[in-house]
Protein backbone atom coordinates (compact mmCIF):
# COMPACT_ATOMS: atom_id res chain seq x y z
CA UNK A 1 0.00 0.00 0.00
CA UNK A 2 1.43 3.37 -1.05
CA UNK A 3 1.50 6.27 1.40
CA UNK A 4 -1.28 8.76 0.60
CA UNK A 5 1.28 11.46 -0.27
CA UNK A 6 2.20 9.32 -3.31
CA UNK A 7 -1.40 9.16 -4.52
CA UNK A 8 -3.71 11.59 -6.25
CA UNK A 9 -6.53 13.04 -4.15
CA UNK A 10 -9.98 14.48 -4.69
CA UNK A 11 -12.66 15.97 -2.45
CA UNK A 12 -14.58 13.26 -0.61
CA UNK A 13 -18.07 14.79 -0.91
CA UNK A 14 -19.99 17.66 -2.47
CA UNK A 15 -19.86 21.07 -0.80
CA UNK A 16 -21.86 24.16 -1.80
CA UNK A 17 -21.40 27.86 -1.14
CA UNK A 18 -22.21 31.25 -2.60
CA UNK A 19 -20.82 34.76 -2.77
CA UNK A 20 -20.13 37.76 -4.98
CA UNK A 21 -17.46 38.23 -7.64
CA UNK A 22 -14.77 40.78 -6.75
CA UNK A 23 -14.68 42.54 -10.10
CA UNK A 24 -18.07 41.69 -11.65
CA UNK A 25 -20.06 42.25 -8.46
CA UNK A 26 -22.26 39.38 -9.68
CA UNK A 27 -23.75 36.82 -7.28
CA UNK A 28 -22.54 33.27 -7.84
CA UNK A 29 -23.47 29.83 -6.54
CA UNK A 30 -20.71 27.23 -6.47
CA UNK A 31 -20.23 23.54 -5.78
CA UNK A 32 -17.09 21.45 -5.41
CA UNK A 33 -17.52 17.84 -6.55
CA UNK A 34 -15.27 14.76 -6.53
CA UNK A 35 -13.60 13.95 -9.86
CA UNK A 36 -11.92 10.86 -11.31
CA UNK A 37 -8.18 10.32 -10.94
CA UNK A 38 -6.20 11.93 -13.71
CA UNK A 39 -8.85 14.52 -14.58
CA UNK A 40 -7.29 17.54 -12.84
CA UNK A 41 -9.26 20.63 -11.82
CA UNK A 42 -12.13 21.41 -14.16
CA UNK A 43 -14.44 24.43 -13.98
CA UNK A 44 -18.03 23.88 -15.15
CA UNK A 45 -20.42 26.72 -16.05
CA UNK A 46 -23.85 25.39 -15.04
CA UNK A 47 -25.49 28.48 -16.56
CA UNK A 48 -24.00 27.60 -19.97
CA UNK A 49 -25.08 23.97 -20.50
CA UNK A 50 -22.35 22.69 -18.14
CA UNK A 51 -19.56 23.95 -20.41
CA UNK A 52 -16.20 22.85 -19.00
CA UNK A 53 -12.83 24.61 -18.84
CA UNK A 54 -9.83 22.68 -17.50
CA UNK A 55 -7.54 24.69 -15.22
CA UNK A 56 -4.41 24.52 -17.36
CA UNK A 57 -2.00 27.01 -18.88
CA UNK A 58 -3.37 26.58 -22.40
CA UNK A 59 -6.69 28.11 -21.27
CA UNK A 60 -5.25 31.26 -19.67
CA UNK A 61 -7.12 34.36 -20.82
CA UNK A 62 -6.57 38.01 -19.88
CA UNK A 63 -4.60 38.52 -16.70
CA UNK A 64 -4.28 41.90 -15.03
CA UNK A 65 -5.94 42.22 -11.64
CA UNK A 66 -7.01 38.55 -11.58
CA UNK A 67 -6.36 35.32 -13.46
CA UNK A 68 -9.03 34.24 -15.93
CA UNK A 69 -9.50 31.14 -18.03
CA UNK A 70 -11.26 30.98 -21.39
CA UNK A 71 -12.20 28.24 -23.84
CA UNK A 72 -14.28 28.73 -26.97
CA UNK A 73 -15.24 32.20 -25.79
CA UNK A 74 -16.48 31.05 -22.36
CA UNK A 75 -14.84 32.79 -19.42
CA UNK A 76 -14.04 31.84 -15.82
CA UNK A 77 -12.57 34.71 -13.82
CA UNK A 78 -10.59 35.14 -10.58
CA UNK A 79 -9.55 31.51 -10.24
CA UNK A 80 -6.33 31.97 -8.28
CA UNK A 81 -7.56 31.77 -4.66
CA UNK A 82 -9.42 28.48 -5.10
CA UNK A 83 -6.62 26.93 -7.16
CA UNK A 84 -4.17 28.01 -4.46
CA UNK A 85 -6.27 26.24 -1.81
CA UNK A 86 -6.37 23.05 -3.91
CA UNK A 87 -2.57 23.02 -4.16
CA UNK A 88 -2.17 23.85 -0.47
CA UNK A 89 -4.40 20.95 0.58
CA UNK A 90 -3.13 18.46 -2.00
CA UNK A 91 -6.29 18.19 -4.09
CA UNK A 92 -5.41 17.00 -7.60
CA UNK A 93 -8.85 16.36 -9.08
CA UNK A 94 -12.15 18.20 -8.63
CA UNK A 95 -15.04 19.68 -10.57
CA UNK A 96 -15.88 23.28 -9.71
CA UNK A 97 -19.43 24.17 -10.72
CA UNK A 98 -20.52 27.80 -10.85
CA UNK A 99 -23.48 29.65 -12.35
CA UNK A 100 -21.70 32.86 -13.34
CA UNK A 101 -18.41 33.99 -14.83
CA UNK A 102 -16.46 34.86 -11.66
CA UNK A 103 -15.60 32.94 -8.51
CA UNK A 104 -16.70 34.58 -5.24
CA UNK A 105 -14.15 36.73 -3.44
CA UNK A 106 -15.47 35.78 0.04
CA UNK A 107 -13.04 37.30 2.61
CA UNK A 108 -10.31 37.99 0.02
CA UNK A 109 -8.12 35.07 1.07
CA UNK A 110 -8.04 31.32 0.40
CA UNK A 111 -9.15 30.46 3.93
CA UNK A 112 -12.89 30.08 3.16
CA UNK A 113 -12.01 27.70 0.32
CA UNK A 114 -9.68 25.76 2.63
CA UNK A 115 -12.50 25.45 5.15
CA UNK A 116 -14.95 24.28 2.48
CA UNK A 117 -12.53 21.67 1.14
CA UNK A 118 -11.88 20.50 4.70
CA UNK A 119 -15.62 20.25 5.28
CA UNK A 120 -15.99 18.12 2.15
CA UNK A 121 -13.00 16.00 3.16
CA UNK A 122 -10.13 14.81 0.99
CA UNK A 123 -9.69 11.19 -0.08
CA UNK A 124 -6.87 9.35 -1.82
CA UNK A 125 -7.36 7.75 -5.22
CA UNK A 126 -5.88 4.65 -6.83
CA UNK A 127 -3.38 6.48 -9.00
CA UNK A 128 0.15 7.67 -8.33
CA UNK A 129 0.46 11.44 -8.26
CA UNK A 130 2.77 12.77 -10.97
CA UNK A 131 4.71 15.97 -10.44
CA UNK A 132 6.16 18.40 -12.94
CA UNK A 133 9.86 18.34 -12.04
CA UNK A 134 11.87 21.37 -13.14
CA UNK A 135 15.07 20.24 -14.87
CA UNK A 136 16.86 23.54 -15.57
CA UNK A 137 16.42 27.21 -14.65
CA UNK A 138 14.03 29.51 -16.46
CA UNK A 139 14.12 33.25 -15.75
CA UNK A 140 11.80 35.99 -16.97
CA UNK A 141 12.44 39.68 -16.44
CA UNK A 142 10.42 42.77 -17.40
CA UNK A 143 11.96 46.00 -16.14
CA UNK A 144 12.14 45.70 -12.35
CA UNK A 145 9.80 42.67 -12.36
CA UNK A 146 11.27 39.18 -12.16
CA UNK A 147 10.18 35.57 -11.87
CA UNK A 148 12.20 32.38 -12.16
CA UNK A 149 11.90 28.64 -11.58
CA UNK A 150 14.90 26.54 -10.53
CA UNK A 151 15.40 22.79 -10.07
CA UNK A 152 14.72 21.53 -6.53
CA UNK A 153 13.54 18.36 -4.85
CA UNK A 154 10.62 20.09 -3.10
CA UNK A 155 8.16 22.85 -3.93
CA UNK A 156 9.10 26.18 -2.39
CA UNK A 157 8.38 29.79 -3.31
CA UNK A 158 9.82 33.14 -2.37
CA UNK A 159 8.37 36.55 -3.13
CA UNK A 160 9.54 40.13 -2.75
CA UNK A 161 7.33 43.20 -3.08
CA UNK A 162 7.91 46.94 -2.83
CA UNK A 163 5.03 49.41 -2.47
CA UNK A 164 5.44 53.10 -1.59
CA UNK A 165 3.12 52.84 1.42
CA UNK A 166 4.16 53.25 5.07
CA UNK A 167 2.65 49.88 6.06
CA UNK A 168 4.15 47.88 3.20
CA UNK A 169 7.42 49.15 1.73
CA UNK A 170 9.73 46.19 1.03
CA UNK A 171 8.56 42.76 2.18
CA UNK A 172 10.00 39.34 1.34
CA UNK A 173 9.18 35.81 2.40
CA UNK A 174 10.11 32.24 1.45
CA UNK A 175 7.79 29.30 2.14
CA UNK A 176 8.21 25.56 1.68
CA UNK A 177 4.89 24.01 0.80
CA UNK A 178 5.18 21.03 3.10
CA UNK A 179 3.94 19.92 6.53
CA UNK A 180 0.87 22.12 6.63
CA UNK A 181 2.81 25.33 6.06
CA UNK A 182 0.29 26.57 3.48
CA UNK A 183 -2.63 26.59 5.90
CA UNK A 184 -0.57 28.07 8.72
CA UNK A 185 1.38 30.69 6.81
CA UNK A 186 -0.45 31.58 3.58
CA UNK A 187 -4.13 30.62 3.33
CA UNK A 188 -5.63 33.43 5.41
CA UNK A 189 -3.64 36.30 3.82
CA UNK A 190 -6.12 38.66 2.14
CA UNK A 191 -6.00 40.62 -1.08
CA UNK A 192 -5.50 44.35 -0.69
CA UNK A 193 -6.29 47.59 -2.48
CA UNK A 194 -5.65 51.31 -2.21
CA UNK A 195 -8.58 53.60 -1.41
CA UNK A 196 -7.15 56.32 -3.65
CA UNK A 197 -7.42 53.98 -6.67
CA UNK A 198 -11.04 53.03 -6.03
CA UNK A 199 -12.74 55.41 -8.46
CA UNK A 200 -10.28 54.72 -11.27
CA UNK A 201 -10.74 50.96 -10.93
CA UNK A 202 -14.54 51.26 -10.81
CA UNK A 203 -14.37 53.30 -14.02
CA UNK A 204 -12.39 50.41 -15.56
CA UNK A 205 -15.20 48.01 -14.65
CA UNK A 206 -13.24 46.46 -11.78
CA UNK A 207 -13.82 45.84 -8.01
CA UNK A 208 -17.63 46.19 -8.32
CA UNK A 209 -18.00 43.52 -5.64
CA UNK A 210 -15.31 44.77 -3.27
CA UNK A 211 -16.25 45.52 0.35
CA UNK A 212 -14.37 46.16 3.58
CA UNK A 213 -15.08 42.50 4.41
CA UNK A 214 -13.43 41.15 1.24
CA UNK A 215 -10.06 42.92 1.17
CA UNK A 216 -7.59 45.03 3.11
CA UNK A 217 -8.36 48.67 2.35
CA UNK A 218 -5.26 50.86 2.49
CA UNK A 219 -5.62 54.59 3.06
CA UNK A 220 -2.83 57.09 2.37
CA UNK A 221 -1.11 56.36 5.68
CA UNK A 222 -2.83 53.34 7.24
CA UNK A 223 -5.59 50.73 7.01
CA UNK A 224 -9.30 51.49 6.85
CA UNK A 225 -10.29 48.09 8.24
CA UNK A 226 -7.66 46.78 10.69
CA UNK A 227 -6.20 44.59 12.06
CA UNK A 228 -3.81 42.72 9.77
CA UNK A 229 -3.76 38.94 10.13
CA UNK A 230 0.05 38.90 9.76
CA UNK A 231 2.51 41.81 10.02
CA UNK A 232 3.58 40.96 6.45
CA UNK A 233 0.15 39.92 5.15
CA UNK A 234 0.73 41.71 1.84
CA UNK A 235 3.63 39.57 0.62
CA UNK A 236 1.92 36.44 1.97
CA UNK A 237 -1.07 37.19 -0.25
CA UNK A 238 1.23 37.57 -3.25
CA UNK A 239 2.57 34.09 -2.49
CA UNK A 240 -1.02 32.83 -2.24
CA UNK A 241 -1.74 34.25 -5.71
CA UNK A 242 1.48 32.84 -7.13
CA UNK A 243 0.68 29.33 -5.89
CA UNK A 244 -2.79 29.56 -7.46
CA UNK A 245 -1.46 30.78 -10.79
CA UNK A 246 1.24 28.10 -10.90
CA UNK A 247 -1.50 25.50 -10.38
CA UNK A 248 -2.12 26.07 -14.10
CA UNK A 249 0.84 23.81 -14.77
CA UNK A 250 -1.85 21.18 -14.25
CA UNK A 251 0.31 19.42 -11.68
CA UNK A 252 2.17 20.29 -8.54
CA UNK A 253 5.76 21.16 -9.32
CA UNK A 254 9.07 20.08 -7.87
CA UNK A 255 11.08 23.27 -8.02
CA UNK A 256 11.95 26.56 -6.38
CA UNK A 257 10.07 29.63 -7.62
CA UNK A 258 11.46 33.09 -6.99
CA UNK A 259 9.43 36.21 -7.75
CA UNK A 260 10.03 39.93 -7.31
CA UNK A 261 7.12 42.32 -8.00
CA UNK A 262 5.92 39.89 -10.67
CA UNK A 263 2.09 39.84 -10.71
CA UNK A 264 -0.49 37.61 -12.40
CA UNK A 265 0.63 38.26 -15.98
CA UNK A 266 4.20 37.12 -15.29
CA UNK A 267 3.05 34.20 -13.13
CA UNK A 268 0.97 32.80 -15.98
CA UNK A 269 3.53 33.72 -18.66
CA UNK A 270 6.18 31.54 -17.07
CA UNK A 271 3.69 28.65 -16.89
CA UNK A 272 2.92 28.92 -20.61
CA UNK A 273 6.55 29.26 -21.67
CA UNK A 274 7.81 26.33 -19.61
CA UNK A 275 4.98 24.05 -20.72
CA UNK A 276 5.85 24.74 -24.36
CA UNK A 277 9.43 23.48 -23.96
CA UNK A 278 9.83 19.93 -22.68
CA UNK A 279 13.56 20.47 -22.07
CA UNK A 280 12.65 22.38 -18.88
CA UNK A 281 10.63 19.65 -17.19
CA UNK A 282 9.66 16.03 -16.86
CA UNK A 283 6.83 14.20 -15.16
CA UNK A 284 7.84 12.07 -12.18
CA UNK A 285 6.21 10.24 -9.30
CA UNK A 286 7.61 10.48 -5.79
CA UNK A 287 9.10 7.02 -5.94
CA UNK A 288 10.94 8.03 -9.14
CA UNK A 289 11.97 11.28 -7.47
CA UNK A 290 13.60 9.33 -4.63
CA UNK A 291 15.58 7.34 -7.23
CA UNK A 292 18.61 9.44 -8.11
CA UNK A 293 19.41 7.57 -11.34
CA UNK A 294 18.93 9.47 -14.64
CA UNK A 295 15.48 9.22 -16.18
CA UNK A 296 16.76 7.23 -19.16
CA UNK A 297 18.24 4.62 -16.82
CA UNK A 298 15.01 4.37 -14.81
CA UNK A 299 12.99 3.88 -18.01
CA UNK A 300 15.40 1.20 -19.23
CA UNK A 301 14.98 -0.63 -15.93
CA UNK A 302 11.21 -0.32 -16.23
CA UNK A 303 11.31 -1.93 -19.69
Amino acid sequence: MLDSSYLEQTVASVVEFSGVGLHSGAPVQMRLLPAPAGSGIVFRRTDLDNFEIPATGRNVAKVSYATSLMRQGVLISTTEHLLSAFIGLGVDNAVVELDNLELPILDGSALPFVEMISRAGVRSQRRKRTYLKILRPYELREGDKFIAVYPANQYSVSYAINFPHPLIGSEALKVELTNGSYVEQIASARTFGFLEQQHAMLNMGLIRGATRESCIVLTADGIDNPPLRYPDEFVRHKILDLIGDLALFGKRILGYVKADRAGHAMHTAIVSRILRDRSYWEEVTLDQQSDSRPTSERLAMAD
Side-chain angles (χ1 to χ4, degrees), residues 2-17:
L2 285 171
D3 182 273
S4 61
S5 63
Y6 283 75
L7 300 172
E8 290 189 4
Q9 298 187 121
T10 188
V11 292
S13 61
V14 178
V15 61
E16 302 182 23
F17 51 99

Side-chain angles (χ1 to χ4, degrees), residues 95-149:
V95 173
V96 183
E97 289 188 345
L98 64 164
D99 64 358
N100 216 318
L101 61 84
E102 186 177 20
L103 277 73
I105 188 60
L106 304 173
D107 76 345
S109 78
L111 184 61
F113 293 124
V114 166
E115 292 171 345
M116 291 165 195
I117 295 167
S118 299
R119 191 162 72 243
V122 175
R123 64 175 174 85
S124 296
Q125 298 176 283
R126 294 181 179 179
R127 179 177 173 138
K128 289 183 182 180
R129 175 185 288 145
T130 57
Y131 293 77
L132 191 140
K133 179 177 174 61
I134 301 299
L135 298 178
R136 61 193 183 100
Y138 187 96
E139 298 181 343
L140 180 61
R141 191 180 299 274
E142 295 179 5
D144 62 357
K145 299 179 179 181
F146 174 82
I147 188 168
V149 183

Side-chain angles (χ1 to χ4, degrees), residues 173-189:
L173 183 67
K174 181 177 181 180
V175 176
E176 289 193 7
L177 296 175
T178 54
N179 301 324
S181 58
Y182 177 85
V183 173
E184 296 170 4
Q185 299 184 43
I186 301 300
S188 61

Side-chain angles (χ1 to χ4, degrees), residues 41-242:
I41 306 299
V42 177
F43 290 94
R44 179 184 292 162
R45 286 284 300 270
T46 58
D47 58 322
L48 297 174
D49 297 324
N50 290 330
F51 188 87
E52 293 187 344
I53 306 178
T56 61
R58 68 178 178 272
N59 291 326
V60 172
K62 58 185 179 180
V63 286
S64 52
Y65 293 97
T67 297
S68 301
L69 304 175
M70 182 180 286
R71 188 169 78 87
Q72 298 178 18
V74 176
L75 185 70
I76 300 286
S77 186
T78 317
T79 59
E80 57 270 21
H81 296 176
L82 176 58
L83 292 177
S84 185
F86 280 143
I87 292 291
L89 294 183
V91 174
D92 304 280
N93 308 298
V95 173
V96 183
E97 289 188 345
L98 64 164
D99 64 358
N100 216 318
L101 61 84
E102 186 177 20
L103 277 73
I105 188 60
L106 304 173
D107 76 345
S109 78
L111 184 61
F113 293 124
V114 166
E115 292 171 345
M116 291 165 195
I117 295 167
S118 299
R119 191 162 72 243
V122 175
R123 64 175 174 85
S124 296
Q125 298 176 283
R126 294 181 179 179
R127 179 177 173 138
K128 289 183 182 180
R129 175 185 288 145
T130 57
Y131 293 77
L132 191 140
K133 179 177 174 61
I134 301 299
L135 298 178
R136 61 193 183 100
Y138 187 96
E139 298 181 343
L140 180 61
R141 191 180 299 274
E142 295 179 5
D144 62 357
K145 299 179 179 181
F146 174 82
I147 188 168
V149 183
Y150 303 103
N153 291 327
Q154 292 185 318
Y155 186 12
S156 62
V157 300
S158 68
Y159 217 113
I161 61 173
N162 194 327
F163 285 89
H165 188 279
L167 289 184
I168 307 179
S170 296
E171 291 184 355
L173 183 67
K174 181 177 181 180
V175 176
E176 289 193 7
L177 296 175
T178 54
N179 301 324
S181 58
Y182 177 85
V183 173
E184 296 170 4
Q185 299 184 43
I186 301 300
S188 61
R190 296 162 294 169
T191 192
F192 56 95
F194 299 88
L195 193 59
E196 63 184 22
Q197 298 176 1
Q198 178 181 9
H199 294 299
M201 294 186 74
L202 286 169
N203 289 337
M204 294 166 62
L206 300 170
I207 65 167
R208 293 173 179 172
T211 67
R212 297 173 79 256
E213 287 70 43
S214 62
C215 66
I216 303 168
V217 180
L218 289 153
T219 61
D221 56 2
I223 299 177
D224 186 54
N225 54 344
L228 292 176
R229 294 176 175 176
Y230 308 93
D232 57 352
E233 187 168 357
F234 308 100
V235 72
R236 290 175 191 263
H237 185 77
K238 291 296 186 181
I239 291 176
L240 186 158
D241 281 346
L242 174 62

Side-chain angles (χ1 to χ4, degrees), residues 239-251:
I239 291 176
L240 186 158
D241 281 346
L242 174 62
I243 294 166
D245 290 339
L246 296 184
L248 297 173
F249 275 120
K251 300 180 183 298

